[in-house]
Amino acid sequence: MTDSTATFTAEDYFNLLARSGLFNERLFAEQKAKYLESGEQPKAILQTMVSEHLLTPFQAKQLNEKGDPESAATALRRFLTTPPHPEYLDDTYLLLGAALYNMKDYPESIKYLNQLQLEFPESNLTERGKLLLART
């Protein structure tokens, strides 16, 4: 019997990550070759991809729900600095407010939850934002 972990390559890791649905597919595909050429260890690949904003807001939500609000907040903040994604902006404000709340960074949480209320008063997410604001 062979040790399967000994043959687990960065290519294998990328294939596993791609099937997980955790990453924005377009950005993931653009960066895959770069990471494979760099020779980074598989464990470092995920950390790098989180720091380079390859997660979508909904995937960052999964990180927050799994107890990693720091990675979720990092990914969401970086997502806000990428070219505009207006269809995700209200979601991003709510999710970032929730991640910051879970990090106990209440002033920053309030900032993004208020931004949700001001910029998207008609969004179906404003009620959830108000509930989270009331808890802070």
Side-chain angles (χ1 to χ4, degrees), residues 64-101:
N64 189 37
E65 290 172 350
K66 291 181 180 179
D68 191 0
E70 291 83 7
S71 294
T74 298
L76 290 163
R77 282 183 173 136
R78 291 189 189 273
F79 186 81
L80 287 174
T81 66
T82 60
H85 302 280
E87 69 274 17
Y88 297 125
L89 200 51
D90 57 342
D91 297 286
T92 303
Y93 288 152
L94 178 64
L95 294 170
L96 184 52
L100 292 165
Y101 176 86

PDB file of all heavy atoms in Angstrom, residues 64-101:
ATOM      1  N   ASN A  64     -16.891  32.525   7.254  1.00  0.00           N
ATOM      2  CA  ASN A  64     -17.384  33.147   8.484  1.00  0.00           C
ATOM      3  C   ASN A  64     -18.218  32.150   9.285  1.00  0.00           C
ATOM      4  O   ASN A  64     -18.062  32.030  10.496  1.00  0.00           O
ATOM      5  CB  ASN A  64     -18.198  34.396   8.155  1.00  0.00           C
ATOM      6  CG  ASN A  64     -18.561  35.199   9.380  1.00  0.00           C
ATOM      7  OD1 ASN A  64     -17.780  35.316  10.316  1.00  0.00           O
ATOM      8  ND2 ASN A  64     -19.760  35.743   9.381  1.00  0.00           N
ATOM      9  N   GLU A  65     -19.087  31.428   8.600  1.00  0.00           N
ATOM     10  CA  GLU A  65     -19.945  30.459   9.277  1.00  0.00           C
ATOM     11  C   GLU A  65     -19.162  29.293   9.849  1.00  0.00           C
ATOM     12  O   GLU A  65     -19.587  28.662  10.806  1.00  0.00           O
ATOM     13  CB  GLU A  65     -21.026  29.957   8.317  1.00  0.00           C
ATOM     14  CG  GLU A  65     -22.056  31.019   7.992  1.00  0.00           C
ATOM     15  CD  GLU A  65     -23.016  30.615   6.897  1.00  0.00           C
ATOM     16  OE1 GLU A  65     -22.793  29.578   6.229  1.00  0.00           O
ATOM     17  OE2 GLU A  65     -24.005  31.348   6.695  1.00  0.00           O
ATOM     18  N   LYS A  66     -18.001  28.989   9.268  1.00  0.00           N
ATOM     19  CA  LYS A  66     -17.166  27.890   9.749  1.00  0.00           C
ATOM     20  C   LYS A  66     -16.185  28.346  10.824  1.00  0.00           C
ATOM     21  O   LYS A  66     -15.300  27.608  11.211  1.00  0.00           O
ATOM     22  CB  LYS A  66     -16.426  27.246   8.586  1.00  0.00           C
ATOM     23  CG  LYS A  66     -17.352  26.487   7.661  1.00  0.00           C
ATOM     24  CD  LYS A  66     -16.611  25.846   6.528  1.00  0.00           C
ATOM     25  CE  LYS A  66     -17.599  25.108   5.628  1.00  0.00           C
ATOM     26  NZ  LYS A  66     -16.939  24.488   4.501  1.00  0.00           N
ATOM     27  N   GLY A  67     -16.347  29.597  11.296  1.00  0.00           N
ATOM     28  CA  GLY A  67     -15.530  30.064  12.407  1.00  0.00           C
ATOM     29  C   GLY A  67     -14.245  30.755  12.018  1.00  0.00           C
ATOM     30  O   GLY A  67     -13.336  30.862  12.833  1.00  0.00           O
ATOM     31  N   ASP A  68     -14.152  31.244  10.780  1.00  0.00           N
ATOM     32  CA  ASP A  68     -12.949  31.959  10.349  1.00  0.00           C
ATOM     33  C   ASP A  68     -13.333  33.354   9.858  1.00  0.00           C
ATOM     34  O   ASP A  68     -13.195  33.668   8.676  1.00  0.00           O
ATOM     35  CB  ASP A  68     -12.238  31.168   9.255  1.00  0.00           C
ATOM     36  CG  ASP A  68     -10.852  31.706   8.934  1.00  0.00           C
ATOM     37  OD1 ASP A  68     -10.430  32.710   9.559  1.00  0.00           O
ATOM     38  OD2 ASP A  68     -10.180  31.126   8.064  1.00  0.00           O
ATOM     39  N   PRO A  69     -13.831  34.223  10.763  1.00  0.00           N
ATOM     40  CA  PRO A  69     -14.265  35.554  10.330  1.00  0.00           C
ATOM     41  C   PRO A  69     -13.110  36.425   9.833  1.00  0.00           C
ATOM     42  O   PRO A  69     -13.320  37.299   9.005  1.00  0.00           O
ATOM     43  CB  PRO A  69     -14.915  36.143  11.575  1.00  0.00           C
ATOM     44  CG  PRO A  69     -14.320  35.420  12.717  1.00  0.00           C
ATOM     45  CD  PRO A  69     -14.034  34.032  12.210  1.00  0.00           C
ATOM     46  N   GLU A  70     -11.893  36.178  10.314  1.00  0.00           N
ATOM     47  CA  GLU A  70     -10.748  36.976   9.863  1.00  0.00           C
ATOM     48  C   GLU A  70     -10.504  36.781   8.368  1.00  0.00           C
ATOM     49  O   GLU A  70     -10.342  37.755   7.628  1.00  0.00           O
ATOM     50  CB  GLU A  70      -9.482  36.618  10.659  1.00  0.00           C
ATOM     51  CG  GLU A  70      -9.532  37.044  12.107  1.00  0.00           C
ATOM     52  CD  GLU A  70     -10.268  36.050  13.021  1.00  0.00           C
ATOM     53  OE1 GLU A  70     -10.641  34.939  12.568  1.00  0.00           O
ATOM     54  OE2 GLU A  70     -10.492  36.405  14.186  1.00  0.00           O
ATOM     55  N   SER A  71     -10.483  35.515   7.913  1.00  0.00           N
ATOM     56  CA  SER A  71     -10.295  35.257   6.476  1.00  0.00           C
ATOM     57  C   SER A  71     -11.462  35.796   5.668  1.00  0.00           C
ATOM     58  O   SER A  71     -11.274  36.336   4.574  1.00  0.00           O
ATOM     59  CB  SER A  71     -10.122  33.760   6.216  1.00  0.00           C
ATOM     60  OG  SER A  71      -8.929  33.290   6.781  1.00  0.00           O
ATOM     61  N   ALA A  72     -12.671  35.658   6.209  1.00  0.00           N
ATOM     62  CA  ALA A  72     -13.852  36.177   5.508  1.00  0.00           C
ATOM     63  C   ALA A  72     -13.761  37.693   5.364  1.00  0.00           C
ATOM     64  O   ALA A  72     -13.992  38.235   4.280  1.00  0.00           O
ATOM     65  CB  ALA A  72     -15.121  35.789   6.259  1.00  0.00           C
ATOM     66  N   ALA A  73     -13.402  38.381   6.447  1.00  0.00           N
ATOM     67  CA  ALA A  73     -13.294  39.846   6.398  1.00  0.00           C
ATOM     68  C   ALA A  73     -12.204  40.282   5.428  1.00  0.00           C
ATOM     69  O   ALA A  73     -12.388  41.232   4.660  1.00  0.00           O
ATOM     70  CB  ALA A  73     -13.022  40.410   7.795  1.00  0.00           C
ATOM     71  N   THR A  74     -11.071  39.590   5.442  1.00  0.00           N
ATOM     72  CA  THR A  74      -9.980  39.915   4.517  1.00  0.00           C
ATOM     73  C   THR A  74     -10.444  39.762   3.074  1.00  0.00           C
ATOM     74  O   THR A  74     -10.226  40.648   2.246  1.00  0.00           O
ATOM     75  CB  THR A  74      -8.763  39.007   4.776  1.00  0.00           C
ATOM     76  OG1 THR A  74      -8.298  39.244   6.101  1.00  0.00           O
ATOM     77  CG2 THR A  74      -7.647  39.263   3.780  1.00  0.00           C
ATOM     78  N   ALA A  75     -11.091  38.646   2.769  1.00  0.00           N
ATOM     79  CA  ALA A  75     -11.566  38.401   1.404  1.00  0.00           C
ATOM     80  C   ALA A  75     -12.605  39.438   0.983  1.00  0.00           C
ATOM     81  O   ALA A  75     -12.563  39.940  -0.146  1.00  0.00           O
ATOM     82  CB  ALA A  75     -12.145  36.991   1.307  1.00  0.00           C
ATOM     83  N   LEU A  76     -13.522  39.787   1.880  1.00  0.00           N
ATOM     84  CA  LEU A  76     -14.569  40.748   1.539  1.00  0.00           C
ATOM     85  C   LEU A  76     -14.003  42.156   1.359  1.00  0.00           C
ATOM     86  O   LEU A  76     -14.420  42.887   0.459  1.00  0.00           O
ATOM     87  CB  LEU A  76     -15.661  40.733   2.599  1.00  0.00           C
ATOM     88  CG  LEU A  76     -16.507  39.450   2.608  1.00  0.00           C
ATOM     89  CD1 LEU A  76     -17.265  39.320   3.910  1.00  0.00           C
ATOM     90  CD2 LEU A  76     -17.442  39.418   1.411  1.00  0.00           C
ATOM     91  N   ARG A  77     -13.064  42.541   2.202  1.00  0.00           N
ATOM     92  CA  ARG A  77     -12.449  43.867   2.041  1.00  0.00           C
ATOM     93  C   ARG A  77     -11.715  43.955   0.708  1.00  0.00           C
ATOM     94  O   ARG A  77     -11.790  44.967   0.012  1.00  0.00           O
ATOM     95  CB  ARG A  77     -11.489  44.149   3.194  1.00  0.00           C
ATOM     96  CG  ARG A  77     -12.190  44.551   4.456  1.00  0.00           C
ATOM     97  CD  ARG A  77     -11.191  44.894   5.529  1.00  0.00           C
ATOM     98  NE  ARG A  77     -11.849  45.438   6.693  1.00  0.00           N
ATOM     99  CZ  ARG A  77     -11.562  45.096   7.936  1.00  0.00           C
ATOM    100  NH1 ARG A  77     -10.613  44.216   8.184  1.00  0.00           N
ATOM    101  NH2 ARG A  77     -12.204  45.645   8.943  1.00  0.00           N
ATOM    102  N   ARG A  78     -11.024  42.902   0.360  1.00  0.00           N
ATOM    103  CA  ARG A  78     -10.314  42.897  -0.925  1.00  0.00           C
ATOM    104  C   ARG A  78     -11.294  42.879  -2.087  1.00  0.00           C
ATOM    105  O   ARG A  78     -11.054  43.476  -3.116  1.00  0.00           O
ATOM    106  CB  ARG A  78      -9.339  41.744  -0.999  1.00  0.00           C
ATOM    107  CG  ARG A  78      -8.170  41.918  -0.061  1.00  0.00           C
ATOM    108  CD  ARG A  78      -7.106  40.870  -0.305  1.00  0.00           C
ATOM    109  NE  ARG A  78      -6.099  40.916   0.717  1.00  0.00           N
ATOM    110  CZ  ARG A  78      -5.033  41.700   0.680  1.00  0.00           C
ATOM    111  NH1 ARG A  78      -4.862  42.524  -0.326  1.00  0.00           N
ATOM    112  NH2 ARG A  78      -4.143  41.668   1.645  1.00  0.00           N
ATOM    113  N   PHE A  79     -12.399  42.173  -1.910  1.00  0.00           N
ATOM    114  CA  PHE A  79     -13.422  42.134  -2.950  1.00  0.00           C
ATOM    115  C   PHE A  79     -13.952  43.533  -3.228  1.00  0.00           C
ATOM    116  O   PHE A  79     -14.219  43.889  -4.379  1.00  0.00           O
ATOM    117  CB  PHE A  79     -14.561  41.206  -2.523  1.00  0.00           C
ATOM    118  CG  PHE A  79     -15.599  40.988  -3.585  1.00  0.00           C
ATOM    119  CD1 PHE A  79     -15.387  40.070  -4.592  1.00  0.00           C
ATOM    120  CD2 PHE A  79     -16.788  41.699  -3.575  1.00  0.00           C
ATOM    121  CE1 PHE A  79     -16.332  39.864  -5.580  1.00  0.00           C
ATOM    122  CE2 PHE A  79     -17.743  41.502  -4.548  1.00  0.00           C
ATOM    123  CZ  PHE A  79     -17.517  40.572  -5.559  1.00  0.00           C
ATOM    124  N   LEU A  80     -14.085  44.337  -2.191  1.00  0.00           N
ATOM    125  CA  LEU A  80     -14.564  45.715  -2.360  1.00  0.00           C
ATOM    126  C   LEU A  80     -13.580  46.573  -3.147  1.00  0.00           C
ATOM    127  O   LEU A  80     -13.969  47.593  -3.716  1.00  0.00           O
ATOM    128  CB  LEU A  80     -14.832  46.361  -1.003  1.00  0.00           C
ATOM    129  CG  LEU A  80     -16.081  45.873  -0.268  1.00  0.00           C
ATOM    130  CD1 LEU A  80     -16.149  46.484   1.119  1.00  0.00           C
ATOM    131  CD2 LEU A  80     -17.338  46.186  -1.061  1.00  0.00           C
ATOM    132  N   THR A  81     -12.302  46.187  -3.185  1.00  0.00           N
ATOM    133  CA  THR A  81     -11.307  46.973  -3.908  1.00  0.00           C
ATOM    134  C   THR A  81     -11.132  46.523  -5.354  1.00  0.00           C
ATOM    135  O   THR A  81     -10.403  47.150  -6.104  1.00  0.00           O
ATOM    136  CB  THR A  81      -9.930  46.915  -3.209  1.00  0.00           C
ATOM    137  OG1 THR A  81      -9.428  45.582  -3.275  1.00  0.00           O
ATOM    138  CG2 THR A  81     -10.017  47.389  -1.777  1.00  0.00           C
ATOM    139  N   THR A  82     -11.806  45.450  -5.763  1.00  0.00           N
ATOM    140  CA  THR A  82     -11.715  44.968  -7.141  1.00  0.00           C
ATOM    141  C   THR A  82     -12.687  45.763  -8.010  1.00  0.00           C
ATOM    142  O   THR A  82     -13.509  46.511  -7.493  1.00  0.00           O
ATOM    143  CB  THR A  82     -12.034  43.462  -7.228  1.00  0.00           C
ATOM    144  OG1 THR A  82     -13.352  43.239  -6.764  1.00  0.00           O
ATOM    145  CG2 THR A  82     -11.039  42.633  -6.435  1.00  0.00           C
ATOM    146  N   PRO A  83     -12.605  45.576  -9.327  1.00  0.00           N
ATOM    147  CA  PRO A  83     -13.552  46.282 -10.202  1.00  0.00           C
ATOM    148  C   PRO A  83     -14.986  46.067  -9.712  1.00  0.00           C
ATOM    149  O   PRO A  83     -15.290  45.019  -9.149  1.00  0.00           O
ATOM    150  CB  PRO A  83     -13.332  45.636 -11.568  1.00  0.00           C
ATOM    151  CG  PRO A  83     -11.927  45.155 -11.523  1.00  0.00           C
ATOM    152  CD  PRO A  83     -11.678  44.754 -10.085  1.00  0.00           C
ATOM    153  N   PRO A  84     -15.846  47.039  -9.921  1.00  0.00           N
ATOM    154  CA  PRO A  84     -17.187  47.011  -9.342  1.00  0.00           C
ATOM    155  C   PRO A  84     -17.968  45.741  -9.665  1.00  0.00           C
ATOM    156  O   PRO A  84     -17.940  45.253 -10.776  1.00  0.00           O
ATOM    157  CB  PRO A  84     -17.878  48.221  -9.954  1.00  0.00           C
ATOM    158  CG  PRO A  84     -16.823  49.061 -10.534  1.00  0.00           C
ATOM    159  CD  PRO A  84     -15.621  48.195 -10.756  1.00  0.00           C
ATOM    160  N   HIS A  85     -18.627  45.246  -8.667  1.00  0.00           N
ATOM    161  CA  HIS A  85     -19.553  44.128  -8.787  1.00  0.00           C
ATOM    162  C   HIS A  85     -20.854  44.586  -8.133  1.00  0.00           C
ATOM    163  O   HIS A  85     -21.202  44.140  -7.054  1.00  0.00           O
ATOM    164  CB  HIS A  85     -19.019  42.895  -8.053  1.00  0.00           C
ATOM    165  CG  HIS A  85     -17.696  42.434  -8.538  1.00  0.00           C
ATOM    166  ND1 HIS A  85     -17.546  41.681  -9.674  1.00  0.00           N
ATOM    167  CD2 HIS A  85     -16.452  42.631  -8.047  1.00  0.00           C
ATOM    168  CE1 HIS A  85     -16.262  41.419  -9.856  1.00  0.00           C
ATOM    169  NE2 HIS A  85     -15.585  41.984  -8.889  1.00  0.00           N
ATOM    170  N   PRO A  86     -21.584  45.519  -8.766  1.00  0.00           N
ATOM    171  CA  PRO A  86     -22.741  46.127  -8.109  1.00  0.00           C
ATOM    172  C   PRO A  86     -23.787  45.113  -7.663  1.00  0.00           C
ATOM    173  O   PRO A  86     -24.465  45.326  -6.672  1.00  0.00           O
ATOM    174  CB  PRO A  86     -23.303  47.094  -9.142  1.00  0.00           C
ATOM    175  CG  PRO A  86     -22.661  46.755 -10.425  1.00  0.00           C
ATOM    176  CD  PRO A  86     -21.413  46.000 -10.131  1.00  0.00           C
ATOM    177  N   GLU A  87     -23.895  44.000  -8.368  1.00  0.00           N
ATOM    178  CA  GLU A  87     -24.911  43.017  -7.987  1.00  0.00           C
ATOM    179  C   GLU A  87     -24.582  42.323  -6.668  1.00  0.00           C
ATOM    180  O   GLU A  87     -25.441  41.713  -6.058  1.00  0.00           O
ATOM    181  CB  GLU A  87     -25.117  41.981  -9.104  1.00  0.00           C
ATOM    182  CG  GLU A  87     -23.948  41.035  -9.325  1.00  0.00           C
ATOM    183  CD  GLU A  87     -22.866  41.564 -10.263  1.00  0.00           C
ATOM    184  OE1 GLU A  87     -22.817  42.775 -10.523  1.00  0.00           O
ATOM    185  OE2 GLU A  87     -22.053  40.755 -10.730  1.00  0.00           O
ATOM    186  N   TYR A  88     -23.328  42.435  -6.209  1.00  0.00           N
ATOM    187  CA  TYR A  88     -22.917  41.806  -4.956  1.00  0.00           C
ATOM    188  C   TYR A  88     -22.635  42.807  -3.843  1.00  0.00           C
ATOM    189  O   TYR A  88     -22.290  42.414  -2.740  1.00  0.00           O
ATOM    190  CB  TYR A  88     -21.650  40.974  -5.152  1.00  0.00           C
ATOM    191  CG  TYR A  88     -21.803  39.816  -6.096  1.00  0.00           C
ATOM    192  CD1 TYR A  88     -20.964  39.686  -7.184  1.00  0.00           C
ATOM    193  CD2 TYR A  88     -22.775  38.851  -5.889  1.00  0.00           C
ATOM    194  CE1 TYR A  88     -21.087  38.609  -8.049  1.00  0.00           C
ATOM    195  CE2 TYR A  88     -22.906  37.782  -6.746  1.00  0.00           C
ATOM    196  CZ  TYR A  88     -22.056  37.652  -7.832  1.00  0.00           C
ATOM    197  OH  TYR A  88     -22.179  36.603  -8.670  1.00  0.00           O
ATOM    198  N   LEU A  89     -22.745  44.076  -4.123  1.00  0.00           N
ATOM    199  CA  LEU A  89     -22.309  45.078  -3.162  1.00  0.00           C
ATOM    200  C   LEU A  89     -23.130  45.059  -1.873  1.00  0.00           C
ATOM    201  O   LEU A  89     -22.561  45.091  -0.772  1.00  0.00           O
ATOM    202  CB  LEU A  89     -22.329  46.468  -3.794  1.00  0.00           C
ATOM    203  CG  LEU A  89     -21.483  47.535  -3.135  1.00  0.00           C
ATOM    204  CD1 LEU A  89     -20.049  47.075  -2.907  1.00  0.00           C
ATOM    205  CD2 LEU A  89     -21.493  48.803  -3.973  1.00  0.00           C
ATOM    206  N   ASP A  90     -24.453  44.963  -1.966  1.00  0.00           N
ATOM    207  CA  ASP A  90     -25.245  44.915  -0.735  1.00  0.00           C
ATOM    208  C   ASP A  90     -24.951  43.646   0.062  1.00  0.00           C
ATOM    209  O   ASP A  90     -24.803  43.680   1.285  1.00  0.00           O
ATOM    210  CB  ASP A  90     -26.746  45.069  -1.016  1.00  0.00           C
ATOM    211  CG  ASP A  90     -27.325  44.057  -1.975  1.00  0.00           C
ATOM    212  OD1 ASP A  90     -26.553  43.412  -2.724  1.00  0.00           O
ATOM    213  OD2 ASP A  90     -28.559  43.908  -2.001  1.00  0.00           O
ATOM    214  N   ASP A  91     -24.780  42.519  -0.645  1.00  0.00           N
ATOM    215  CA  ASP A  91     -24.406  41.273   0.031  1.00  0.00           C
ATOM    216  C   ASP A  91     -23.057  41.428   0.732  1.00  0.00           C
ATOM    217  O   ASP A  91     -22.885  40.974   1.865  1.00  0.00           O
ATOM    218  CB  ASP A  91     -24.290  40.120  -0.975  1.00  0.00           C
ATOM    219  CG  ASP A  91     -25.587  39.808  -1.664  1.00  0.00           C
ATOM    220  OD1 ASP A  91     -26.460  39.211  -1.011  1.00  0.00           O
ATOM    221  OD2 ASP A  91     -25.727  40.157  -2.842  1.00  0.00           O
ATOM    222  N   THR A  92     -22.128  42.069   0.049  1.00  0.00           N
ATOM    223  CA  THR A  92     -20.782  42.234   0.595  1.00  0.00           C
ATOM    224  C   THR A  92     -20.809  43.080   1.861  1.00  0.00           C
ATOM    225  O   THR A  92     -20.162  42.740   2.854  1.00  0.00           O
ATOM    226  CB  THR A  92     -19.836  42.857  -0.454  1.00  0.00           C
ATOM    227  OG1 THR A  92     -19.838  42.012  -1.612  1.00  0.00           O
ATOM    228  CG2 THR A  92     -18.427  42.980   0.075  1.00  0.00           C
ATOM    229  N   TYR A  93     -21.572  44.160   1.851  1.00  0.00           N
ATOM    230  CA  TYR A  93     -21.672  44.998   3.052  1.00  0.00           C
ATOM    231  C   TYR A  93     -22.257  44.211   4.228  1.00  0.00           C
ATOM    232  O   TYR A  93     -21.757  44.292   5.349  1.00  0.00           O
ATOM    233  CB  TYR A  93     -22.534  46.231   2.790  1.00  0.00           C
ATOM    234  CG  TYR A  93     -21.909  47.273   1.904  1.00  0.00           C
ATOM    235  CD1 TYR A  93     -22.698  48.109   1.126  1.00  0.00           C
ATOM    236  CD2 TYR A  93     -20.525  47.448   1.831  1.00  0.00           C
ATOM    237  CE1 TYR A  93     -22.138  49.076   0.308  1.00  0.00           C
ATOM    238  CE2 TYR A  93     -19.961  48.411   1.022  1.00  0.00           C
ATOM    239  CZ  TYR A  93     -20.770  49.226   0.253  1.00  0.00           C
ATOM    240  OH  TYR A  93     -20.218  50.184  -0.544  1.00  0.00           O
ATOM    241  N   LEU A  94     -23.317  43.449   3.974  1.00  0.00           N
ATOM    242  CA  LEU A  94     -23.932  42.666   5.048  1.00  0.00           C
ATOM    243  C   LEU A  94     -22.972  41.596   5.557  1.00  0.00           C
ATOM    244  O   LEU A  94     -22.781  41.436   6.771  1.00  0.00           O
ATOM    245  CB  LEU A  94     -25.236  42.020   4.576  1.00  0.00           C
ATOM    246  CG  LEU A  94     -25.939  41.132   5.610  1.00  0.00           C
ATOM    247  CD1 LEU A  94     -26.381  41.959   6.819  1.00  0.00           C
ATOM    248  CD2 LEU A  94     -27.112  40.414   4.986  1.00  0.00           C
ATOM    249  N   LEU A  95     -22.340  40.862   4.643  1.00  0.00           N
ATOM    250  CA  LEU A  95     -21.435  39.784   5.043  1.00  0.00           C
ATOM    251  C   LEU A  95     -20.202  40.319   5.765  1.00  0.00           C
ATOM    252  O   LEU A  95     -19.736  39.719   6.739  1.00  0.00           O
ATOM    253  CB  LEU A  95     -21.028  38.960   3.817  1.00  0.00           C
ATOM    254  CG  LEU A  95     -22.162  38.176   3.163  1.00  0.00           C
ATOM    255  CD1 LEU A  95     -21.707  37.592   1.839  1.00  0.00           C
ATOM    256  CD2 LEU A  95     -22.690  37.103   4.093  1.00  0.00           C
ATOM    257  N   LEU A  96     -19.682  41.450   5.299  1.00  0.00           N
ATOM    258  CA  LEU A  96     -18.526  42.044   5.963  1.00  0.00           C
ATOM    259  C   LEU A  96     -18.926  42.543   7.344  1.00  0.00           C
ATOM    260  O   LEU A  96     -18.183  42.349   8.320  1.00  0.00           O
ATOM    261  CB  LEU A  96     -17.932  43.166   5.117  1.00  0.00           C
ATOM    262  CG  LEU A  96     -16.654  43.818   5.627  1.00  0.00           C
ATOM    263  CD1 LEU A  96     -15.577  42.793   5.955  1.00  0.00           C
ATOM    264  CD2 LEU A  96     -16.140  44.817   4.600  1.00  0.00           C
ATOM    265  N   GLY A  97     -20.092  43.155   7.452  1.00  0.00           N
ATOM    266  CA  GLY A  97     -20.580  43.577   8.763  1.00  0.00           C
ATOM    267  C   GLY A  97     -20.711  42.398   9.715  1.00  0.00           C
ATOM    268  O   GLY A  97     -20.339  42.483  10.889  1.00  0.00           O
ATOM    269  N   ALA A  98     -21.203  41.264   9.215  1.00  0.00           N
ATOM    270  CA  ALA A  98     -21.352  40.066  10.045  1.00  0.00           C
ATOM    271  C   ALA A  98     -19.990  39.492  10.446  1.00  0.00           C
ATOM    272  O   ALA A  98     -19.798  39.102  11.597  1.00  0.00           O
ATOM    273  CB  ALA A  98     -22.168  39.015   9.302  1.00  0.00           C
ATOM    274  N   ALA A  99     -19.049  39.447   9.502  1.00  0.00           N
ATOM    275  CA  ALA A  99     -17.714  38.920   9.820  1.00  0.00           C
ATOM    276  C   ALA A  99     -17.031  39.794  10.860  1.00  0.00           C
ATOM    277  O   ALA A  99     -16.434  39.292  11.820  1.00  0.00           O
ATOM    278  CB  ALA A  99     -16.869  38.829   8.550  1.00  0.00           C
ATOM    279  N   LEU A 100     -17.127  41.105  10.693  1.00  0.00           N
ATOM    280  CA  LEU A 100     -16.516  42.023  11.658  1.00  0.00           C
ATOM    281  C   LEU A 100     -17.203  41.916  13.023  1.00  0.00           C
ATOM    282  O   LEU A 100     -16.544  42.007  14.070  1.00  0.00           O
ATOM    283  CB  LEU A 100     -16.559  43.455  11.125  1.00  0.00           C
ATOM    284  CG  LEU A 100     -15.664  43.698   9.906  1.00  0.00           C
ATOM    285  CD1 LEU A 100     -16.047  45.005   9.225  1.00  0.00           C
ATOM    286  CD2 LEU A 100     -14.208  43.692  10.296  1.00  0.00           C
ATOM    287  N   TYR A 101     -18.498  41.710  13.023  1.00  0.00           N
ATOM    288  CA  TYR A 101     -19.234  41.499  14.271  1.00  0.00           C
ATOM    289  C   TYR A 101     -18.690  40.262  14.985  1.00  0.00           C
ATOM    290  O   TYR A 101     -18.437  40.273  16.188  1.00  0.00           O
ATOM    291  CB  TYR A 101     -20.729  41.354  13.985  1.00  0.00           C
ATOM    292  CG  TYR A 101     -21.540  41.033  15.206  1.00  0.00           C
ATOM    293  CD1 TYR A 101     -22.001  42.047  16.038  1.00  0.00           C
ATOM    294  CD2 TYR A 101     -21.834  39.717  15.545  1.00  0.00           C
ATOM    295  CE1 TYR A 101     -22.743  41.765  17.181  1.00  0.00           C
ATOM    296  CE2 TYR A 101     -22.572  39.419  16.680  1.00  0.00           C
ATOM    297  CZ  TYR A 101     -23.022  40.453  17.495  1.00  0.00           C
ATOM    298  OH  TYR A 101     -23.746  40.155  18.621  1.00  0.00           O
TER     299      TYR A 101
END
